[in-house]
Amino acid sequence: GGREPSLRRLLSSSWTSLAEEGPHDHTVRALAWSVVDSLMRTAEGRRALRAFMAHLEEHGGRRSLDAFERTVPGGIAAFEQQWWAHVEARARGE
């Protein structure tokens, strides 16, 4: 479908609000997992994911948007383009 929710919205909204406002729970879960799957594809992505998780742990799971901007090279803007390309490729079975 469309490119909703945006990565910024996915990271800044609560799980409940996303599921209630738009996509079904399974869609939100699949998109969240696709972020992890995309990051796990490269050594740089794996390092960023570890740093992201450490930042979340340090802040009690809060501030995920800030954590992503600080830990993923290029921040949300750069990552989101490659993430959607990854999601679309996976949807095609690649």
Side-chain angles (χ1 to χ4, degrees):
R3 291 185 168 191
E4 278 295 321
S6 70
L7 183 57
R8 182 173 298 283
R9 184 165 170 238
L10 187 66
L11 289 166
S12 62
S13 298
S14 72
W15 184 273
T16 306
S17 68
L18 277 173
E20 288 173 355
E21 293 173 17
H24 297 289
D25 188 50
H26 65 276
T27 303
V28 174
R29 185 173 287 132
L31 287 171
W33 177 249
S34 72
V35 170
V36 173
D37 185 50
S38 183
L39 286 168
M40 291 295 293
R41 293 186 143 327
T42 66
E44 179 181 51
R46 289 187 295 274
R47 282 190 297 275
L49 183 58
R50 282 191 298 275
F52 174 70
M53 298 304 287
H55 192 281
L56 289 179
E57 182 177 14
E58 183 180 324
H59 295 283
R62 296 178 314 280
R63 303 179 60 203
S64 57
L65 185 60
D66 180 53
F68 204 88
E69 283 289 355
R70 290 174 182 261
T71 59
V72 175
I76 289 173
F79 180 79
E80 188 162 28
Q81 289 181 334
Q82 74 181 52
W83 172 59
W84 277 114
H86 174 75
V87 168
E88 291 164 354
R90 295 290 254 179
R92 291 188 303 269
E94 297 174 14

